[in-house]
Amino acid sequence: MSIVSFHRVLITAALAFCALFAWWEIARYQVDGDGLRLVLGIVFALLACALAVYLALLNRFLGRKGV
């Protein structure tokens, strides 16, 4: 496994964590109404989106074409 492939695995794991944590915090906000949970949910949802964009554009960031 190359270092780029391993990096993709780590990014995917981080993306999954952020998305699940965002979902969890927003679900908990709906139960108890704590504003901090909503803020954390939104922040982690944005982080998940940023990681998804980074993963999609990783080859461009690395300067690789068609790999």
Side-chain angles (χ1 to χ4, degrees):
M1 177 182 280
S2 71
I3 191 134
V4 175
S5 297
F6 185 67
H7 189 62
R8 288 181 199 281
V9 170
L10 288 178
I11 294 168
T12 303
L15 192 151
F17 171 79
C18 287
L20 288 172
F21 190 70
W23 171 79
W24 173 261
E25 287 297 325
I26 291 171
R28 296 301 303 161
Y29 166 73
Q30 292 174 344
V31 170
D32 63 17
D34 184 10
L36 180 60
R37 291 192 185 275
L38 180 61
V39 170
L40 282 172
I42 291 170
V43 167
F44 275 86
L46 291 173
L47 285 172
C49 291
L51 285 168
V53 169
Y54 176 63
L55 184 60
L57 300 176
L58 184 59
N59 282 337
R60 186 178 296 176
F61 289 138
L62 296 175
R64 298 166 52 157
K65 295 185 182 197
V67 177

mmCIF file of all heavy atoms in Angstrom, residues 39-63:
data_model
loop_
_atom_site.group_PDB
_atom_site.id
_atom_site.type_symbol
_atom_site.label_atom_id
_atom_site.label_comp_id
_atom_site.label_asym_id
_atom_site.label_seq_id
_atom_site.Cartn_x
_atom_site.Cartn_y
_atom_site.Cartn_z
ATOM 1 N N VAL A 39 -24.182 23.640 17.522
ATOM 2 C CA VAL A 39 -22.964 24.247 16.990
ATOM 3 C C VAL A 39 -21.940 23.169 16.634
ATOM 4 O O VAL A 39 -21.347 23.195 15.546
ATOM 5 C CB VAL A 39 -22.371 25.264 18.002
ATOM 6 C CG1 VAL A 39 -20.990 25.721 17.566
ATOM 7 C CG2 VAL A 39 -23.305 26.444 18.171
ATOM 8 N N LEU A 40 -21.734 22.208 17.527
ATOM 9 C CA LEU A 40 -20.801 21.116 17.244
ATOM 10 C C LEU A 40 -21.251 20.310 16.033
ATOM 11 O O LEU A 40 -20.432 19.921 15.200
ATOM 12 C CB LEU A 40 -20.662 20.198 18.458
ATOM 13 C CG LEU A 40 -19.776 20.691 19.583
ATOM 14 C CD1 LEU A 40 -19.899 19.777 20.792
ATOM 15 C CD2 LEU A 40 -18.343 20.786 19.127
ATOM 16 N N GLY A 41 -22.532 20.054 15.920
ATOM 17 C CA GLY A 41 -23.052 19.316 14.775
ATOM 18 C C GLY A 41 -22.782 20.035 13.466
ATOM 19 O O GLY A 41 -22.358 19.426 12.477
ATOM 20 N N ILE A 42 -23.004 21.323 13.451
ATOM 21 C CA ILE A 42 -22.772 22.107 12.235
ATOM 22 C C ILE A 42 -21.283 22.162 11.903
ATOM 23 O O ILE A 42 -20.887 21.989 10.745
ATOM 24 C CB ILE A 42 -23.370 23.526 12.392
ATOM 25 C CG1 ILE A 42 -24.896 23.434 12.423
ATOM 26 C CG2 ILE A 42 -22.896 24.450 11.281
ATOM 27 C CD1 ILE A 42 -25.587 24.725 12.811
ATOM 28 N N VAL A 43 -20.452 22.387 12.903
ATOM 29 C CA VAL A 43 -19.000 22.453 12.677
ATOM 30 C C VAL A 43 -18.481 21.138 12.115
ATOM 31 O O VAL A 43 -17.720 21.116 11.138
ATOM 32 C CB VAL A 43 -18.259 22.850 13.974
ATOM 33 C CG1 VAL A 43 -16.762 22.621 13.846
ATOM 34 C CG2 VAL A 43 -18.549 24.296 14.326
ATOM 35 N N PHE A 44 -18.895 20.026 12.696
ATOM 36 C CA PHE A 44 -18.403 18.739 12.221
ATOM 37 C C PHE A 44 -18.997 18.369 10.860
ATOM 38 O O PHE A 44 -18.346 17.687 10.079
ATOM 39 C CB PHE A 44 -18.630 17.648 13.269
ATOM 40 C CG PHE A 44 -17.517 17.597 14.274
ATOM 41 C CD1 PHE A 44 -17.529 18.401 15.390
ATOM 42 C CD2 PHE A 44 -16.431 16.758 14.085
ATOM 43 C CE1 PHE A 44 -16.499 18.378 16.303
ATOM 44 C CE2 PHE A 44 -15.390 16.728 14.991
ATOM 45 C CZ PHE A 44 -15.413 17.539 16.099
ATOM 46 N N ALA A 45 -20.201 18.824 10.562
ATOM 47 C CA ALA A 45 -20.756 18.612 9.226
ATOM 48 C C ALA A 45 -19.943 19.390 8.188
ATOM 49 O O ALA A 45 -19.650 18.872 7.096
ATOM 50 C CB ALA A 45 -22.223 19.037 9.181
ATOM 51 N N LEU A 46 -19.547 20.602 8.528
ATOM 52 C CA LEU A 46 -18.704 21.388 7.624
ATOM 53 C C LEU A 46 -17.329 20.746 7.454
ATOM 54 O O LEU A 46 -16.767 20.732 6.349
ATOM 55 C CB LEU A 46 -18.569 22.823 8.137
ATOM 56 C CG LEU A 46 -19.836 23.672 8.067
ATOM 57 C CD1 LEU A 46 -19.614 25.012 8.760
ATOM 58 C CD2 LEU A 46 -20.270 23.876 6.638
ATOM 59 N N LEU A 47 -16.782 20.212 8.540
ATOM 60 C CA LEU A 47 -15.500 19.510 8.445
ATOM 61 C C LEU A 47 -15.614 18.275 7.554
ATOM 62 O O LEU A 47 -14.707 17.979 6.766
ATOM 63 C CB LEU A 47 -15.002 19.108 9.830
ATOM 64 C CG LEU A 47 -14.436 20.218 10.697
ATOM 65 C CD1 LEU A 47 -14.164 19.700 12.107
ATOM 66 C CD2 LEU A 47 -13.174 20.787 10.088
ATOM 67 N N ALA A 48 -16.715 17.561 7.658
ATOM 68 C CA ALA A 48 -16.925 16.390 6.804
ATOM 69 C C ALA A 48 -16.993 16.813 5.339
ATOM 70 O O ALA A 48 -16.417 16.145 4.466
ATOM 71 C CB ALA A 48 -18.197 15.651 7.217
ATOM 72 N N CYS A 49 -17.664 17.911 5.064
ATOM 73 C CA CYS A 49 -17.731 18.414 3.682
ATOM 74 C C CYS A 49 -16.345 18.808 3.185
ATOM 75 O O CYS A 49 -15.987 18.509 2.039
ATOM 76 C CB CYS A 49 -18.688 19.599 3.595
ATOM 77 S SG CYS A 49 -20.405 19.153 3.826
ATOM 78 N N ALA A 50 -15.579 19.477 4.018
ATOM 79 C CA ALA A 50 -14.229 19.885 3.620
ATOM 80 C C ALA A 50 -13.350 18.668 3.351
ATOM 81 O O ALA A 50 -12.579 18.652 2.378
ATOM 82 C CB ALA A 50 -13.609 20.767 4.707
ATOM 83 N N LEU A 51 -13.452 17.640 4.179
ATOM 84 C CA LEU A 51 -12.679 16.423 3.954
ATOM 85 C C LEU A 51 -13.114 15.710 2.679
ATOM 86 O O LEU A 51 -12.277 15.147 1.963
ATOM 87 C CB LEU A 51 -12.796 15.488 5.160
ATOM 88 C CG LEU A 51 -11.991 15.887 6.382
ATOM 89 C CD1 LEU A 51 -12.413 15.056 7.594
ATOM 90 C CD2 LEU A 51 -10.503 15.735 6.123
ATOM 91 N N ALA A 52 -14.391 15.737 2.375
ATOM 92 C CA ALA A 52 -14.882 15.111 1.137
ATOM 93 C C ALA A 52 -14.315 15.827 -0.087
ATOM 94 O O ALA A 52 -13.899 15.185 -1.055
ATOM 95 C CB ALA A 52 -16.401 15.122 1.111
ATOM 96 N N VAL A 53 -14.288 17.145 -0.042
ATOM 97 C CA VAL A 53 -13.714 17.915 -1.151
ATOM 98 C C VAL A 53 -12.218 17.626 -1.266
ATOM 99 O O VAL A 53 -11.696 17.414 -2.363
ATOM 100 C CB VAL A 53 -13.978 19.425 -0.958
ATOM 101 C CG1 VAL A 53 -13.181 20.263 -1.947
ATOM 102 C CG2 VAL A 53 -15.458 19.718 -1.089
ATOM 103 N N TYR A 54 -11.530 17.609 -0.144
ATOM 104 C CA TYR A 54 -10.097 17.311 -0.147
ATOM 105 C C TYR A 54 -9.819 15.926 -0.729
ATOM 106 O O TYR A 54 -8.917 15.750 -1.545
ATOM 107 C CB TYR A 54 -9.545 17.421 1.273
ATOM 108 C CG TYR A 54 -8.090 17.044 1.396
ATOM 109 C CD1 TYR A 54 -7.099 17.777 0.739
ATOM 110 C CD2 TYR A 54 -7.694 15.967 2.163
ATOM 111 C CE1 TYR A 54 -5.763 17.430 0.851
ATOM 112 C CE2 TYR A 54 -6.366 15.617 2.281
ATOM 113 C CZ TYR A 54 -5.402 16.347 1.618
ATOM 114 O OH TYR A 54 -4.084 16.009 1.724
ATOM 115 N N LEU A 55 -10.614 14.943 -0.332
ATOM 116 C CA LEU A 55 -10.437 13.587 -0.845
ATOM 117 C C LEU A 55 -10.689 13.537 -2.348
ATOM 118 O O LEU A 55 -9.952 12.891 -3.088
ATOM 119 C CB LEU A 55 -11.369 12.620 -0.112
ATOM 120 C CG LEU A 55 -11.256 11.150 -0.460
ATOM 121 C CD1 LEU A 55 -9.851 10.644 -0.152
ATOM 122 C CD2 LEU A 55 -12.296 10.357 0.313
ATOM 123 N N ALA A 56 -11.710 14.240 -2.809
ATOM 124 C CA ALA A 56 -12.027 14.243 -4.232
ATOM 125 C C ALA A 56 -10.944 14.926 -5.057
ATOM 126 O O ALA A 56 -10.696 14.537 -6.208
ATOM 127 C CB ALA A 56 -13.366 14.943 -4.460
ATOM 128 N N LEU A 57 -10.283 15.911 -4.488
ATOM 129 C CA LEU A 57 -9.282 16.686 -5.221
ATOM 130 C C LEU A 57 -7.846 16.331 -4.821
ATOM 131 O O LEU A 57 -6.923 17.076 -5.156
ATOM 132 C CB LEU A 57 -9.524 18.182 -5.010
ATOM 133 C CG LEU A 57 -10.876 18.709 -5.476
ATOM 134 C CD1 LEU A 57 -11.017 20.173 -5.121
ATOM 135 C CD2 LEU A 57 -11.062 18.487 -6.964
ATOM 136 N N LEU A 58 -7.660 15.210 -4.151
ATOM 137 C CA LEU A 58 -6.336 14.868 -3.642
ATOM 138 C C LEU A 58 -5.290 14.770 -4.739
ATOM 139 O O LEU A 58 -4.168 15.262 -4.579
ATOM 140 C CB LEU A 58 -6.385 13.556 -2.849
ATOM 141 C CG LEU A 58 -5.088 13.134 -2.177
ATOM 142 C CD1 LEU A 58 -4.614 14.209 -1.201
ATOM 143 C CD2 LEU A 58 -5.269 11.814 -1.452
ATOM 144 N N ASN A 59 -5.630 14.168 -5.860
ATOM 145 C CA ASN A 59 -4.657 14.065 -6.955
ATOM 146 C C ASN A 59 -4.229 15.441 -7.448
ATOM 147 O O ASN A 59 -3.065 15.664 -7.775
ATOM 148 C CB ASN A 59 -5.224 13.244 -8.119
ATOM 149 C CG ASN A 59 -5.177 11.772 -7.848
ATOM 150 O OD1 ASN A 59 -4.387 11.307 -7.035
ATOM 151 N ND2 ASN A 59 -6.017 11.025 -8.524
ATOM 152 N N ARG A 60 -5.170 16.372 -7.502
ATOM 153 C CA ARG A 60 -4.827 17.727 -7.932
ATOM 154 C C ARG A 60 -3.900 18.394 -6.928
ATOM 155 O O ARG A 60 -2.944 19.071 -7.306
ATOM 156 C CB ARG A 60 -6.102 18.558 -8.110
ATOM 157 C CG ARG A 60 -5.823 19.940 -8.689
ATOM 158 C CD ARG A 60 -7.073 20.717 -8.897
ATOM 159 N NE ARG A 60 -7.911 20.042 -9.901
ATOM 160 C CZ ARG A 60 -9.124 20.463 -10.234
ATOM 161 N NH1 ARG A 60 -9.636 21.519 -9.648
ATOM 162 N NH2 ARG A 60 -9.827 19.804 -11.121
ATOM 163 N N PHE A 61 -4.165 18.192 -5.628
ATOM 164 C CA PHE A 61 -3.300 18.767 -4.605
ATOM 165 C C PHE A 61 -1.900 18.193 -4.679
ATOM 166 O O PHE A 61 -0.910 18.871 -4.398
ATOM 167 C CB PHE A 61 -3.862 18.527 -3.204
ATOM 168 C CG PHE A 61 -5.091 19.322 -2.886
ATOM 169 C CD1 PHE A 61 -6.147 18.742 -2.216
ATOM 170 C CD2 PHE A 61 -5.202 20.648 -3.252
ATOM 171 C CE1 PHE A 61 -7.287 19.470 -1.909
ATOM 172 C CE2 PHE A 61 -6.339 21.390 -2.959
ATOM 173 C CZ PHE A 61 -7.382 20.795 -2.284
ATOM 174 N N LEU A 62 -1.797 16.914 -5.057
ATOM 175 C CA LEU A 62 -0.485 16.267 -5.145
ATOM 176 C C LEU A 62 0.209 16.513 -6.466
ATOM 177 O O LEU A 62 1.357 16.108 -6.657
ATOM 178 C CB LEU A 62 -0.641 14.749 -4.934
ATOM 179 C CG LEU A 62 -1.134 14.321 -3.556
ATOM 180 C CD1 LEU A 62 -1.365 12.823 -3.529
ATOM 181 C CD2 LEU A 62 -0.143 14.739 -2.491
ATOM 182 N N GLY A 63 -0.473 17.151 -7.392
ATOM 183 C CA GLY A 63 0.120 17.434 -8.698
ATOM 184 C C GLY A 63 0.164 16.211 -9.602
ATOM 185 O O GLY A 63 0.967 16.161 -10.532
#
